[in-house]
Amino acid sequence: MEDDRRPDQGDIRRAAGADARDSERAADTTQTFGHDSDLSFVPFGSELAEAELDAIEALPSGAALLLVRSGPTAGARYLLDTDVTTVGRHPEADIFFDDVTVSRRHAEITRSGAAFELVDQRSLNGTYVNGERVDRAPLTNGAEVRVGKFRLNFFVSPADLPQAADV
């Protein structure tokens, strides 16, 4: 009748090599297409190539540039010079990211004068600005934007940057 007894502490064993930290990690099994492991904001500004710096310098007033820093299309540049720019996996999106981590209609970037704002379109994986998930957020110069597994940097025209006060 030993099979009917309640197991005591000595009868419960962890899997080989498991420790308390492993069992804590095993409790959280949710992953979103494998890109949530790095939510940290790592500024890329100091790593810009000369061609990218030249492209930013050449932006006319009222325009901005998105640089894809990581993801399947790393190195791509997108000019933002309209009042609404759509981002998504739909082939008609202005910025087309052909990847399952991106919703068909993932986000929009709106322009009002020289100011830009990112608006999530109820995407499955969310849209992030500087590591924070947002529904809508103003885009500032150098901001990191994450759409699915794509990490991008946003840069405004130097003509639209606030001038430093003379001291």
Side-chain angles (χ1 to χ4, degrees), residues 105-127:
R105 288 175 175 77
H106 199 100
E108 288 182 351
I109 299 170
T110 60
R111 176 181 70 173
S112 177
F116 289 82
E117 183 177 46
L118 182 75
V119 182
D120 184 77
Q121 298 296 303
R122 296 178 25 188
S123 62
L124 178 63
N125 288 319
T127 306

Side-chain angles (χ1 to χ4, degrees), residues 3-124:
D3 292 336
D4 293 334
R5 73 178 177 83
R6 183 179 178 147
D8 56 15
Q9 192 67 19
D11 293 335
I12 301 172
R13 296 189 188 356
R14 288 194 172 93
D19 65 9
R21 255 183 291 163
D22 288 338
S23 62
E24 287 173 17
R25 267 187 250 129
D28 183 11
T29 59
T30 304
Q31 290 184 342
T32 310
F33 297 113
H35 73 287
D36 279 344
S37 60
D38 181 17
L39 295 178
S40 61
F41 170 59
V42 179
F44 291 107
S46 62
E47 300 172 18
L48 294 175
E50 192 168 333
E52 293 169 331
L53 292 170
D54 290 344
I56 294 166
E57 200 62 38
L59 287 170
S61 180
L65 191 67
L66 271 179
L67 302 175
V68 181
R69 303 312 302 251
S70 67
T73 59
R77 295 182 227 162
Y78 296 98
L79 177 64
L80 304 174
D81 62 352
T82 60
D83 289 338
V84 177
T85 303
T86 58
V87 180
R89 191 169 31 97
H90 192 280
E92 293 179 11
D94 298 318
I95 299 176
F96 174 60
F97 289 142
D98 189 15
D99 189 86
V100 296
T101 62
V102 178
S103 297
R104 285 180 188 87
R105 288 175 175 77
H106 199 100
E108 288 182 351
I109 299 170
T110 60
R111 176 181 70 173
S112 177
F116 289 82
E117 183 177 46
L118 182 75
V119 182
D120 184 77
Q121 298 296 303
R122 296 178 25 188
S123 62
L124 178 63

Side-chain angles (χ1 to χ4, degrees), residues 39-41 128-133 144-146:
L39 295 178
S40 61
F41 170 59
Y128 295 78
V129 175
N130 295 336
E132 298 288 325
R133 187 171 181 158
E144 180 187 286
V145 175
R146 190 162 53 91

